[in-house]
Amino acid sequence: IAGITQAPTSQILAAGRRMTLRCTQDMRHNAMYWYRQDLGLGLRLIHYSNTAGTTGKGEVPDGYSVSRANTDDFPLTLASAVPSQTSVYFCASSSGQGETQYFGPGTRLLVL
Amino acid sequence: QQQVKQSPQSLIVQKGGISIINCAYENTAFDYFPWYQQFPGKGPALLIAIRPDVSEKKEGRFTISFNKSAKQFSLHIMDSQPGDSATYFCAAVVDDMRFGAGTRLTVKP
């Protein structure tokens, strides 16, 4: 069982470009999440999905969009990347809202 | 506004010593308090968690102490080992999870 996989592992992106970070889980979890991790700020929730077909905004949603077409996949899109989006992005999943979250290995994104 | 405040930001402990990390929260609706451990280049992994109906939970060398009236909880690592060197995050959950800013623990041999 792989748990949660994220792709790419790392990426350097020119400002203004569009980028989609991929996340797939094989635990049949209902809820999925996207966080960004920045030094001194911990992990901040970008978007979440409590079940397939629904999404919601987290603490720092601006500049990001998500979709949840099925249970397993939860891609995060940066429509037009800016340098302030340089961060490490983690996808997570849980069996339900308020339950323990399990994290993927992260995507390191540098926007120049 | 940080809903969960974590301290210290960094901690250096000698091998065999006790590491203590503290967290405080404001929202009394939080009903689940996990601690995550993160090694460099890896995602956070659940270490231990507690619900507010108990004051302490112990798993091996790791103990959570919970003070509901003070809205504080802490992680104690007994007999700290170099392999415990990592970043530790506390979190509080009601519908979503709010993380503390993290504590970088270094255990010196």
Side-chain angles (χ1 to χ4, degrees):
Chain A
I1 296 178
I4 297 180
T5 57
Q6 292 186 237
T9 302
S10 63
Q11 182 75 44
I12 300 173
L13 188 66
R17 296 298 294 269
R18 179 184 179 91
M19 174 78 189
T20 295
L21 309 185
R22 300 185 297 278
C23 175
T24 299
Q25 54 107 355
D26 63 5
M27 296 177 283
R28 306 304 294 173
H29 281 170
N30 287 319
M32 297 187 73
Y33 313 85
W34 274 105
Y35 293 89
R36 59 177 290 172
Q37 184 175 30
D38 303 289
L39 193 64
L41 296 175
L43 292 116
R44 293 180 293 167
L45 183 65
I46 304 171
H47 284 287
Y48 65 92
S49 168
N50 288 329
T51 189
T54 69
T55 63
K57 294 182 179 180
E59 193 179 350
V60 288
D62 295 343
Y64 306 94
S65 63
V66 292
S67 62
R68 187 88 184 277
N70 57 60
T71 298
D72 299 343
D73 301 300
F74 191 43
L76 176 74
T77 298
L78 289 67
S80 179
V82 295
S84 62
Q85 292 178 310
T86 293
S87 188
V88 182
Y89 291 86
F90 288 100
C91 179
S93 72
S94 66
S95 57
Q97 194 177 12
E99 298 298 324
T100 299
Q101 294 184 20
Y102 299 89
F103 285 79
T107 293
R108 285 144 190 82
L109 181 65
L110 174 61
V111 182
L112 298 175
Chain B
Q1 181 185 359
Q2 191 114 31
Q3 293 195 29
V4 180
K5 296 184 178 178
Q6 183 172 346
S7 62
Q9 189 173 3
S10 63
L11 180 63
I12 299 174
V13 174
Q14 289 295 128
K15 178 182 176 182
I18 302 173
S19 304
I20 302 174
I21 304 170
N22 300 300
C23 286
Y25 62 96
E26 293 294 327
N27 186 351
T28 56
F30 288 133
D31 61 3
Y32 179 60
F33 301 89
W35 284 88
Y36 283 82
Q37 180 187 55
Q38 184 180 29
F39 293 105
K42 304 292 185 183
L46 180 68
L47 182 64
I48 186 172
I50 196 167
R51 300 240 180 227
D53 53 343
V54 296
S55 60
E56 184 175 283
K57 184 173 182 179
K58 184 176 181 179
E59 290 183 1
R61 296 184 294 109
F62 301 91
T63 299
I64 300 177
S65 297
F66 187 83
N67 186 328
K68 189 174 182 177
S69 61
K71 293 185 287 186
Q72 295 175 347
F73 58 110
S74 60
L75 176 69
H76 296 235
I77 305 174
M78 311 300 288
D79 187 26
S80 298
Q81 299 297 311
D84 296 331
S85 297
T87 299
Y88 293 81
F89 293 95
C90 63
V93 183
V94 53
D95 293 324
D96 60 22
M97 187 177 296
R98 298 293 171 141
F99 286 86
T103 296
R104 179 174 289 184
L105 171 66
T106 302
V107 181
K108 292 197 172 292

